[in-house]
Amino acid sequence: MSLLRELNKLGVLRTLDDALANTLRRLDPETPDEVLAAAALASMAVANGHAGFDPASPRQLVDAEIAWPDAEAWRQQLAASRVVATPHSPVDEAEAAPLVLENGLLYLRRYREYERRLALQLQRIASQSMPGTGIEPIAPLFDRLFPEARTDDHQARAAALALRRALLLVTGGPGTGKTTTIARLLVLRIAGALQAGAAPLRIALAAPTGRAAERMAESLRRAAAQMAGQGIDAALLDALPTDASTLHRLLGTLPDSPRFRHHADNPLPFDIVVVDEASMVDLPLMCKLTEAVADGAQQAATQLILLGDPDQLPSVEAGDVLAAILAAAGAGDALSEDDARALQPVLGDAAPAGAAHGRDAVVHASAKQTLHGHRVHLQRGWRQDEALHLAPLAEAVRNGDAIEALALLRGGTLQNVHFHEGADDPLHARPGLLAHWRALATLTDPAEALRQANRLRLLTALREGAQGARGLNARIEATLSGRRIGTPPAWFPGRLLLVTRNSHRHKLFNGDVGICLPDANGTPLAWFPGEGSIGTRAFHPAALPAHESAFAMTVHKAQGSEFDEVWLQLPRADSRVLSRELVYTGLTRARSALHVAGSAEVIVAALGRHAGRVSGLGWRLG
């Protein structure tokens, strides 16, 4: 049996994957079956979040007992095929062919080009020079904003590097102060521009989803209020942005087009662009963002600052972009001698110079020239309030230490962390869930209802199945509305909605959450947060873009959000979707209380698995 036929018999290929293989067969009837099968797998790989397909590790994509071809022989067949391009250089555009074979990976041509273009843009931005504002004039302000700067304060180091780097990577776990650091470094940049007599800085804040953008803006406003309490000049604080947008809005969507209004020939009109939750940004979107960052040819170079948690899940779509960038940037624990010398007025002797050590120091020399020294990793503090003692559990999960994680969950020593071992029905194990959702229907103020809705969320690892978001939502809808399970959900008061497809006409985007409530006249409406976190917007339910209920959400969909209380429901049986990154992302959505439900066996399996992605971006950057 041919490999392509066997893959179809197993039911692992999508209709689109098989259609690509058949199209290539029609274009060149002499194409070997192994090449057609590899083409289908390259298409399937993108749908599974990979940038390409690795013929040496096919079981990473299809875990089945198949007589896979020898990897080297397979690559030779691909290289010899007329439907496969083989570029001579990683910086050159590939020849016009549906597929590209490069560095051992097989790509759909479009995704190889996204990787190539993104690598070139990141290297371009990193090599840009920052305007010489001088550090000494703003040193007194720096000391007020970062009083511990001379005691190896990583937040201070990130702010100092922002004065020297056009590309800055600020990473850290929940609550390590990423947005607080950004607020203060923006004040420093604003002060530096004023000292230099330059025009007021134009600053944009953005995130992949509307909720993440809203959270970012809220955090920045809180940080500004704290600085006001410390007596920071009101003129500096007034120059800070107060709102954030989605990346799609920032770049300017064009109806019925994959292109954006802003691109290399029409760059973004900003001096600084700050992007939060960078781990959620997929390969195509990050490519288009970096291409829209001005390079100084048409206007002053734009500074790009990426914030993210390297231990969270990668983007839902293709690519693990942040991980690849960070691998090229290294640990970020040391400054170059030039940086240490230049920043000595504000950091003193606390800025260590020299190369990082260990695994993160193994970076190709060319990567060090462009990305090394552009990252600061924040380590101190946690986002959760004092009522939730989550740090030790998050650390164990991040390290894949299942023994320690289970001991912490079972020990009952972590405040407001509850383990429901073996529980697979959250509606039975936690009756308060239904009570919370019933109470939403009694509220009359949509803004208050949305706030209350975000206090608690049921998160799942899977979309399908009894413990999946879809199955649980069907049960919850039936219970709250009185309709039979399986009946198409209708509007009912208190129903939470999750937008699943971008609608630029409505200015609603994938991941936005709303609630169904009648207006003062009893008209049934769906309410969503207003733009810039101001007020609410109402829509007729029939006019909404594609959506589903949001009582239960997958961890992927909840990424970029946070809730006072989280119930994390793991499936009854192990699944390839489970990983330590998924568990870590799920539990760190909680601010005040966390419930983890599942079996020890499933937790052990999940923490033993990485959410790895096949990508060539790290290689290109190195």
Side-chain angles (χ1 to χ4, degrees):
M1 183 184 297
S2 75
L3 179 57
L4 181 61
R5 191 175 304 157
E6 191 168 1
L7 290 170
N8 273 312
K9 184 178 179 181
L10 288 171
V12 296
L13 297 180
R14 301 172 303 156
T15 302
L16 183 63
D17 308 328
D18 187 53
L20 172 63
N22 286 315
T23 298
L24 297 181
R25 179 187 283 120
R26 287 193 296 271
L27 289 173
D28 185 359
E30 301 300 319
T31 303
D33 175 76
E34 289 81 358
V35 173
L36 298 175
L41 290 168
S43 173
M44 177 186 174
V46 170
N48 282 270
H50 304 287
F53 168 63
D54 185 357
S57 304
R59 293 193 65 161
Q60 185 174 356
L61 189 62
V62 180
D63 191 9
E65 295 297 333
I66 294 177
W68 296 105
D70 173 75
E72 186 56 35
W74 205 356
R75 288 197 188 106
Q76 289 177 7
Q77 277 187 311
L78 291 165
S81 173
R82 287 186 290 181
V83 299
V84 180
T86 53
H88 297 293
S89 165
V91 300
D92 293 333
E93 185 175 354
E95 298 174 3
L99 303 168
V100 178
L101 181 68
E102 187 176 29
N103 195 38
L105 301 184
L106 182 69
Y107 296 89
L108 300 181
R109 184 180 186 277
R110 180 191 304 176
Y111 284 85
R112 185 269 179 181
E113 290 304 305
Y114 282 140
E115 272 198 358
R116 180 188 70 85
R117 288 157 48 193
L118 174 57
L120 291 175
Q121 295 305 322
L122 287 169
Q123 291 164 344
R124 170 186 64 83
I125 297 168
S127 66
Q128 294 287 325
S129 298
M130 290 288 290
T133 58
I135 292 177
E136 286 83 357
I138 58 174
L141 175 61
F142 195 105
D143 290 340
R144 291 184 64 192
L145 292 172
F146 299 98
E148 299 181 14
R150 298 172 187 273
T151 59
D152 196 22
D153 179 358
H154 284 222
Q155 293 186 2
R157 193 182 306 173
L161 270 182
L163 305 175
R164 293 179 57 80
R165 294 283 184 268
L167 175 65
L168 181 63
L169 313 168
V170 182
T171 60
T176 48
K178 295 188 291 293
T179 49
T180 299
T181 302
I182 291 303
R184 295 180 180 185
L185 73 81
L186 290 178
V187 166
L188 289 170
R189 287 289 324 272
I190 292 166
L194 288 174
Q195 289 280 356
L201 292 179
R202 299 162 300 172
I203 304 169
L205 307 179
T209 67
R211 180 57 185 147
E214 183 182 337
R215 275 188 49 229
M216 183 187 193
E218 289 172 354
S219 297
L220 203 77
R221 289 193 290 267
R222 285 197 300 269
Q226 291 173 353
M227 286 187 282
Q230 297 167 356
I232 302 302
D233 188 348
L236 299 178
L237 300 179
D238 289 343
L240 287 171
T242 57
D243 295 318
S245 72
T246 64
L247 283 171
H248 286 82
R249 280 205 299 269
L250 175 74
L251 292 171
T253 53
L254 297 174
D256 303 316
S257 172
R259 293 175 55 82
F260 290 103
R261 185 175 302 110
H262 292 290
H263 44 73
D265 295 326
N266 182 31
L268 290 164
F270 298 105
D271 302 295
I272 305 173
V273 174
V274 185
V275 179
D276 199 8
E277 299 289 355
S279 64
M280 298 173 62
V281 184
D282 59 49
L283 176 60
L285 186 56
M286 188 68 84
C287 174
K288 294 170 185 178
L289 169 66
T290 55
E291 287 181 333
V293 170
D295 63 1
Q298 300 179 21
Q299 60 186 64
T302 298
Q303 182 179 41
L304 177 62
I305 302 176
L306 301 180
L307 314 180
D309 184 342
D311 298 302
Q312 281 193 29
L313 281 166
S315 62
V316 176
E317 305 299 332
D320 192 355
V321 175
L322 182 64
I325 296 173
L326 297 181
D333 290 334
L335 300 175
S336 69
E337 292 183 4
D338 286 346
D339 286 333
R341 190 180 307 113
L343 299 176
Q344 205 274 340
V346 291
L347 298 183
D349 297 328
H357 299 286
R359 180 185 62 186
D360 291 314
V362 185
V363 182
H364 194 279
S366 63
K368 289 185 177 181
Q369 292 170 3
T370 54
L371 298 188
H372 188 73
H374 289 254
R375 176 191 182 188
V376 177
H377 185 64
L378 307 181
Q379 302 172 15
R380 187 189 308 174
W382 284 89
R383 176 181 64 210
Q384 289 76 23
D385 61 28
E386 295 179 358
L388 180 63
H389 190 202
L390 187 57
L393 178 61
E395 180 73 12
V397 170
R398 184 168 53 236
N399 295 332
D401 189 343
I403 295 175
E404 176 66 11
L406 285 170
L408 289 168
L409 286 169
R410 288 167 169 163
T413 58
L414 302 181
Q415 188 173 358
N416 275 343
V417 175
H418 311 279
F419 185 33
H420 306 268
E421 188 164 2
D424 57 16
D425 184 354
L427 305 185
H428 175 75
R430 184 72 169 168
L433 292 172
L434 287 170
H436 168 76
W437 293 318
R438 284 194 177 99
L440 297 178
T442 67
L443 300 175
T444 57
D445 179 3
E448 176 62 19
L450 287 168
R451 281 192 292 271
Q452 291 298 321
N454 280 321
R455 285 185 47 247
L456 182 152
R457 197 57 50 88
L458 169 57
L459 302 183
T460 68
L462 306 180
R463 178 171 172 78
E464 307 296 340
Q467 290 83 41
R470 179 173 287 180
L472 286 168
N473 274 324
R475 290 180 56 203
I476 296 165
E477 290 162 4
T479 302
L480 297 179
S481 68
R483 301 169 69 93
R484 295 196 313 274
I485 293 179
T487 304
W491 184 96
F492 60 87
R495 185 188 178 201
L496 296 180
L497 301 176
L498 175 72
V499 175
T500 57
R501 185 176 301 166
N502 293 339
S503 173
H504 307 297
R505 179 167 62 90
H506 295 86
K507 295 185 178 180
L508 291 174
F509 298 91
N510 188 1
D512 287 353
V513 174
I515 189 168
C516 295
L517 286 176
D519 66 7
N521 298 318
T523 304
L525 295 172
W527 303 83
F528 287 82
E531 291 193 70
S533 306
I534 300 174
T536 54
R537 295 177 293 152
F539 300 88
H540 191 282
L544 289 175
H547 59 276
E548 59 191 27
S549 287
F551 301 105
M553 294 170 60
T554 63
V555 173
H556 268 106
K557 288 291 188 182
Q559 204 167 348
S561 299
E562 59 180 10
F563 313 97
D564 289 343
E565 181 178 343
V566 164
W567 181 288
L568 177 59
Q569 181 65 57
L570 299 176
R572 185 177 299 152
D574 185 26
S575 166
R576 292 185 66 191
V577 171
L578 291 171
S579 66
R580 66 183 66 171
E581 289 84 2
L582 184 143
V583 176
Y584 172 85
T585 303
L587 64 89
T588 55
R589 298 310 89 205
R591 275 191 298 237
S592 303
L594 170 69
H595 298 262
V596 178
S599 69
E601 293 77 16
V602 166
I603 291 174
V604 169
L607 300 196
R609 185 182 292 120
H610 268 299
R613 295 283 178 84
V614 174
S615 168
L617 181 59
W619 164 74
R620 294 179 195 285
L621 290 171

